[in-house]
Amino acid sequence: MGWKLAAFLLAVSIRYANADCTCYEQANYTGTSAPLSNSFERSDFSACYTPCSYVAYSGDDTFGWGGLTINWGSVADTTGKIQIFDGTDTTGTPLIVVNAKENVVNGIDKSLIRSSQPRITITYTQEGTGANNYNGVIKASPGLQPSTVPITTTAAPTTRTYNNPTFKYDPYLITHDIMIVVNQRTSGGMAALNNVSD
Ligand SMILES: *[C@@H]1O[C@H](CO)[C@@H](O)[C@H](O)[C@H]1NC(C)=O
C-alpha cells in the first residue's frame, strides 16, 4: 500500500509542479465590479484548482460590496468553496460562503448580503484536485458611512480691529500671492510703506 500512496503523492506533486495554474484575478482589484472565476491553465485555459485570494476595493470608502451572483459549470470537486470576508484579511467569520454547485442568483439571501467595509477579501479553496468551473461577480455601490478619520479643522483667521485710512483692508490679513505697489511720491506714500512694514 505504501508505494501506491507514494506514487499518488508524487503524481499529485508533479501535476502541481508542472501545472501553470493561474488565478483568474491575479492581483488585488480596484473597481466596482469584481470578477469571480475559476483558476485556469495558462497553456489551454482549461480549469484547474489552485487556491486563490484577492482584495477588492471600489476606490471609494463610502462604497460597500454586495449583489453577489455565482454560476457553477462542471463541478469535479464538491469541496470547492468561495468565501468572502469583510476587510483585507481572512480572519473571523466570512460574510458569505458559497459551496460548489450552489448557484447564487440575483435577489436570494447571499446576493442581498452587503459588506460593512469598503474592502473585501474573496477566496477560493478546495480539498481535492478536480477542476471546477464557476463564474460570477460582486458589485460595489454607495451606502457606507465615510471612514471615521479624525477631522482636523482649520482655525478661523483671527480678526482684529482695523481702521486705517491708507489701506481699505488690513494688510496683516494679506498672506500671500499679492504684490503691493506704493507710490512714494504721493502724499500717502511714505505712510503706506510704514504701514506695510508694520
Ligand atoms: C492585496 O491586499 C492585501 C491587503 O491589503 C495585501 O496584504 C496583499 O499583499 C495585496 N496583494 C497584492 C498582490 O498586491
Side-chain angles (χ1 to χ4, degrees):
M1 273 317 207
W3 70 269
K4 275 191 183 167
L5 179 63
F8 172 74
L9 289 177
L10 185 64
V12 168
S13 62
I14 285 172
R15 181 166 173 197
Y16 224 114
N18 286 345
D20 193 3
C21 187
T22 305
C23 289
Y24 184 82
E25 190 59 41
Q26 290 158 46
N28 290 337
Y29 171 88
T30 303
T32 55
S33 189
L36 288 82
S37 194
N38 50 273
S39 48
F40 62 90
E41 296 287 355
R42 275 189 185 282
S43 53
D44 60 3
F45 300 105
S46 62
C48 49
Y49 55 86
T50 193
C52 294
S53 174
Y54 74 95
V55 173
Y57 176 52
S58 70
D60 185 329
D61 284 354
T62 66
F63 278 50
W65 292 89
L68 174 71
T69 53
I70 293 285
N71 284 297
W72 294 86
S74 66
V75 170
D77 186 334
T78 52
T79 67
K81 192 161 56 171
I82 296 163
Q83 296 185 91
I84 299 176
F85 296 82
D86 234 336
T88 57
D89 58 42
T90 55
T91 55
T93 312
L95 192 64
I96 308 173
V97 179
V98 180
N99 293 304
K101 288 186 167 173
E102 183 189 357
N103 287 338
V104 178
V105 297
N106 207 10
I108 73 164
D109 284 1
K110 288 183 185 180
S111 154
L112 296 174
I113 296 171
R114 284 181 57 83
S115 74
S116 67
Q117 295 185 41
R119 288 178 179 79
I120 53 171
T121 304
I122 301 170
T123 68
Y124 176 80
T125 52
Q126 67 178 53
E127 282 156 29
T129 57
N132 293 343
N133 289 95
Y134 64 91
N135 65 75
V137 71
I138 188 164
K139 291 175 177 170
S141 57
L144 288 188
Q145 293 300 315
S147 59
T148 50
V149 174
I151 296 159
T152 50
T153 50
T154 307
T158 331
T159 51
R160 62 177 195 170
T161 321
Y162 178 75
N163 185 10
N164 186 310
T166 315
F167 296 113
K168 191 175 174 191
Y169 300 105
D170 187 352
Y172 178 80
L173 299 177
I174 300 169
T175 55
H176 61 94
D177 290 351
I178 192 165
M179 183 174 75
I180 300 174
V181 179
V182 176
N183 184 352
Q184 253 184 289
R185 289 164 196 259
T186 60
S187 55
M190 268 327 281
L193 274 182
N194 288 331
N195 273 301
V196 170
S197 170
D198 289 347

